[in-house]
Amino acid sequence: MTVHPVSPNTVLANALDHVEDVLTARILATPPERIVLLVGTQINGAPHIGTSLVQSLTFAMAARLQARFGLPAEVLFSALDNAPYELTTDPVTGHRYQRAYAQALGTQALTDLVAALYEPLFTALSRRLGIPYRVETYSQQQAGEQFRRTWLRFLPRIDAARWWLAPSTGIPHVRVPCPYFGCGWAEKHAERTQIQLVHPETATVTAVCLHHGPYETTVTLTNGAYLDLATLYRNLVKELALTGPQGTLHVMVKGGDWIFGSHLVDEALQSVGFTRSQLPARLFCPQIVTDTGAKLSKSLIREGRAPLPDGAADWMLDTRQWPGSLPEYADQLLALTETLLSDPRHFFRSYSAAEIGRMMTTPVPRSVPAP
């Protein structure tokens, strides 16, 4: 059986000769000096096949853009260490609280976790394709002056965007973990969190801790409280912060499940006066789904709320269980990405876990050339 899938035509695929054509207009409109492709994932355990697929496609796309446009390209991996590590409910008030990986594990343990679970594959992909990469945790990102300046400048305009960022409540979540004695707990939905901009470069935050009661802290450009924004809010601030550097085109690489959420982020940005040309470009990668059409979810399967799909293997939920070496895994991934990028029909679609498993286990040469 051939490794190549049989893919139907679509409106988008029919308009393209190559997958990277979707970025041509952005590159030609304002020719950049370099291209940075950003890909992120929550650091909440071992990566699954969907994570590895998006990461390998990011490196492969960087190589294709570099070759086609003659521009240096690199990959920036965003390690989202603000993923929940512990969840609990206050028995008195009923409010939900969370403690994120960043607060529960600390900097060194998180660095070791990323180095163990993600960097070996990044290094293998980087060496094979000649594309450099950098790693940045969310903790580092939120502490950066550009990120905080962007958030502080956006605060006076939050009313125009809040129903896009939080359509159900109109209150975009800002979690500021309790700073007392290294506590780190924060209200998951930030119901009692209040923010006041007291200066263009300073905001005061009041909240209620699970253990220490009410507390107040500040956020400034260079220090202060840990700033944990809800997903849509975080992406809006991150993308706005990336509009500043001149000469760099940032491409946000995401899984296909992000298509719907990005619509809300775009509407929020446009509600405060930004145009599409001011924002980073985006590339949505193929999504891996079960036989019901739902996204392959390692958490649902591990919690017993969904079965492992027919044709899927345990290594697809924990890539450390791949039955072979890391170099072999990288080769198989690059062979798969080469197939998906060989025709827009293969890229702009979803794949069942069984089909991805079939293509991943088809023998390929040990060394896969760069696109």
Side-chain angles (χ1 to χ4, degrees):
M1 184 181 294
T2 177
V3 69
H4 284 270
V6 177
S7 300
N9 201 4
T10 63
V11 172
L12 178 57
N14 194 49
L16 308 174
D17 291 328
H18 307 284
V19 173
E20 59 269 26
D21 291 344
V22 296
L23 300 173
T24 300
R26 293 298 299 271
I27 294 173
L28 296 181
T30 307
E33 298 174 4
R34 67 187 186 118
I35 301 174
V36 176
L37 291 90
L38 293 92
V39 61
T41 190
Q42 287 193 336
I43 306 303
N44 58 354
H48 60 88
I49 181 58
T51 299
S52 291
L53 178 60
V54 173
Q55 291 166 351
S56 61
L57 283 168
T58 302
F59 277 91
M61 179 57 72
R64 293 172 76 95
L65 292 172
Q66 183 169 272
R68 176 168 174 176
F69 295 100
L71 298 169
E74 69 171 311
V75 170
L76 174 58
F77 174 62
S78 180
L80 301 176
D81 56 2
N82 62 329
Y85 182 83
E86 300 173 275
L87 292 168
T88 190
T89 300
D90 184 345
V92 177
T93 66
H95 288 282
R96 293 282 284 168
Y97 280 84
Q98 73 173 49
R99 197 162 181 248
Y101 273 72
Q103 283 72 46
L105 300 187
T107 302
Q108 187 57 55
L110 283 168
T111 299
D112 294 342
L113 185 66
V114 173
L117 296 181
Y118 295 92
E119 291 203 54
L121 178 60
F122 292 161
T123 300
L125 296 172
S126 176
R127 289 173 177 172
R128 280 163 170 73
L129 298 177
I131 298 297
Y133 76 91
R134 294 182 289 120
V135 175
E136 180 183 60
T137 63
Y138 176 74
S139 291
Q140 293 170 323
Q141 184 183 76
Q142 64 82 33
E145 181 175 341
Q146 185 61 27
F147 187 92
R148 290 179 171 235
R149 184 185 302 278
T150 301
W151 179 70
L152 288 165
R153 287 182 174 177
F154 185 76
L155 273 181
R157 294 182 283 178
I158 190 67
D159 280 348
R162 64 192 185 96
W163 286 105
W164 293 111
L165 297 176
S168 297
T169 64
I171 304 174
H173 299 162
V174 179
R175 289 179 288 266
V176 178
C178 176
Y180 294 148
F181 313 110
C183 173
W185 284 94
E187 274 190 327
K188 181 172 179 58
H189 302 295
E191 298 97 333
R192 293 175 290 180
T193 298
Q194 301 292 325
I195 302 168
Q196 182 178 4
L197 188 66
V198 297
H199 183 273
E201 297 182 355
T202 305
T204 299
V205 182
T206 58
V208 180
C209 175
L210 173 66
H211 301 295
H212 302 104
Y215 61 92
E216 180 177 297
T217 185
T218 60
V219 177
T220 69
L221 292 180
T222 56
N223 54 45
Y226 189 97
L227 193 60
D228 182 7
L229 307 181
T231 304
L232 295 178
Y233 199 0
R234 180 186 71 237
N235 274 262
L236 176 140
V237 174
K238 176 180 67 175
E239 294 186 4
L240 278 181
L242 294 175
T243 61
Q246 298 297 316
T248 301
L249 174 65
H250 292 92
V251 180
M252 318 301 293
V253 185
K254 299 177 178 292
D257 56 313
W258 251 101
I259 292 175
F260 308 107
S262 292
H263 166 72
L264 293 175
V265 175
D266 287 344
E267 294 287 355
L269 289 165
Q270 292 175 30
S271 72
V272 296
F274 288 87
T275 64
R276 289 286 302 174
S277 62
Q278 293 177 287
L279 309 178
R282 295 196 188 104
L283 181 69
F284 298 103
C285 296
Q287 186 175 356
I288 303 177
V289 300
T290 67
D291 51 0
T292 69
K295 174 185 173 181
L296 181 68
S297 170
K298 64 179 180 182
S299 58
L300 288 182
I301 295 173
R302 288 173 179 171
E303 292 168 4
R305 298 165 60 190
L308 186 68
D310 291 340
D314 289 337
W315 65 263
M316 301 181 81
L317 301 183
D318 182 345
T319 58
R320 295 174 299 180
Q321 298 183 33
W322 168 262
S325 67
L326 177 66
E328 291 169 343
Y329 183 60
D331 284 345
Q332 294 293 147
L333 275 173
L334 288 177
L336 175 57
T337 59
E338 187 175 16
T339 296
L340 301 186
L341 288 167
S342 66
D343 189 318
R345 296 187 185 193
H346 299 336
F347 189 87
F348 296 105
R349 52 161 289 187
S350 298
Y351 286 87
S352 69
E355 180 71 353
I356 289 293
R358 180 186 71 82
M359 291 192 287
M360 275 291 289
T361 54
T362 299
V364 297
R366 286 189 59 83
S367 179
V368 179

